[in-house]
Amino acid sequence: MVEHDLAKVGVASSNLVSRSILILLLFFTSLFSQPLYIDKTYCIEEDTLRASFFGYQSSDDPIILTIPKERVQYTVPTSTLRAAFSDHNVTIIDSSDGVVIFRRNCSLMGKADAMIKLFLKKFQEASPLVMIDEKPRISIKTSLPADFQRYELIDIVISDAMLKKNSGSFVAVFKVGDRNKKLYFAYEMNAKVMVFKAKHNLLNGKILTNDDYESVWESLDALPNRVITHEIPHNAMIKNGVKEGQILTDFHVDIKKMLSKKSSIKALLKEEGLVIEVQATLLEDGNIGDVVKIKTEQGKMLNAKILSHHEAIILE
């Protein structure tokens, strides 16, 4: 019994020593290793970036990176920064996706907020269904004019192509003295729009119901051409097969006509004050108000305007 108790004491002592060592290791690791956060984008004013710029705290503040003076935007692989800090006992916490971007003139000489506000207004006016999650990041594509502070922003022009992208360019119009001047800017943002995805495979000729698709938010950059974003049209029909999970576009969907080809219809012929009624067959699909080809019981091919589900008037 004594030996058993002594064994228990030995095990407890061993566990206590192990925990003590672990605590000491954690203490010394936290003491000598500091986390360093590497972001995707940085705004810079100076050309030489020292370790302290990235949050490194030490009496030693080595130069990590030098940005060429003529570059408005400068990109480096994250591995370059990792290598620069490899001898400084830091823990790298990386959110850069492998590439770090450095930009000058982020405040645009105090005009950044006004430009962001007008950019958002113009973008939302042109694309009201788009939801922008956060403020866009705007930067000049070339160097800012030395006298940019006296430029007065009067308009922003965004092309239709840019309305479908999370990053691109736009034109800003400024009043400078008695004349207008255009400058080109770049933007980046996180925006998405509600689209419709097929819940299962959809075959040609399928009339869409609510059970066939679901509404989801998708990034602008993930959208195919001619995507349907507002609502699925009434009487929408699949004209090109769709696979489960595929986003619906105008290429996939057609609108089923009210009257189908080969339907029987009463055709009215007005002649010298008389109305002659004949039976005819539609040779194509059509809606009320459409002019379509019909074929009478006598075999005549005529044009007729559809008046209702049951009648059409012969035009010739």
Side-chain angles (χ1 to χ4, degrees), residues 116-307:
I116 289 172
K117 183 177 179 180
L118 185 54
F119 175 87
L120 286 172
K121 179 176 182 291
K122 291 284 188 175
F123 201 102
Q124 296 281 215
E125 286 176 350
S127 296
L129 299 178
V130 171
M131 183 171 70
I132 301 174
D133 288 334
E134 58 189 29
K135 288 183 178 180
R137 298 170 292 281
I138 292 177
S139 58
I140 184 73
K141 291 182 74 70
T142 58
S143 298
L144 283 176
D147 60 344
F148 187 63
Q149 287 183 335
R150 73 186 189 97
Y151 281 41
E152 180 186 352
L153 178 65
I154 60 175
D155 197 14
I156 280 178
V157 180
I158 307 171
S159 70
D160 290 344
M162 295 298 106
L163 297 174
K164 302 174 183 178
K165 297 181 178 181
N166 267 333
S167 62
S169 60
F170 65 91
V171 177
V173 183
F174 298 88
K175 187 174 182 59
V176 188
D178 58 353
R179 63 190 179 89
N180 291 345
K181 186 168 183 178
K182 295 180 179 180
L183 293 178
Y184 290 86
F185 291 82
Y187 73 89
E188 292 181 27
M189 63 181 182
N190 294 317
K192 52 192 176 183
V193 67
M194 185 172 287
V195 298
F196 306 97
K197 277 188 177 181
K199 289 184 176 180
H200 42 255
N201 294 341
L202 301 173
L203 302 179
N204 292 354
K206 173 74 170 68
I207 303 297
L208 288 176
T209 68
N210 291 338
D211 294 331
D212 295 322
Y213 57 86
E214 60 182 343
S215 302
V216 296
W217 289 98
E218 285 286 343
S219 169
L220 283 185
D221 292 333
L223 300 182
N225 291 332
R226 295 175 60 181
V227 62
I228 300 173
T229 57
H230 181 52
E231 62 182 2
I232 298 294
H234 181 63
N235 287 336
M237 177 180 66
I238 297 297
K239 64 178 178 180
N240 290 307
V242 178
K243 294 182 178 180
E244 180 181 351
Q246 195 169 358
I247 296 175
L248 298 178
T249 71
D250 287 341
F251 293 113
H252 302 127
V253 174
D254 203 355
I255 306 302
K256 181 176 175 57
K257 301 287 188 178
M258 297 178 65
L259 284 83
S260 301
K261 181 180 178 181
K262 296 184 179 180
S263 297
S264 295
I265 196 167
K266 183 166 58 177
L268 306 176
L269 175 61
K270 292 184 178 181
E271 189 174 281
E272 297 180 358
L274 298 176
V275 178
I276 302 173
E277 183 180 300
V278 297
Q279 285 301 120
T281 302
L282 290 177
L283 298 180
E284 53 188 318
D285 298 340
N287 288 321
I288 294 175
D290 288 350
V291 176
V292 296
K293 291 283 187 183
I294 64 171
K295 184 178 181 180
T296 68
E297 289 180 330
Q298 292 74 31
K300 289 186 177 181
M301 308 274 288
L302 302 170
N303 289 324
K305 182 176 181 178
I306 299 174
L307 301 179

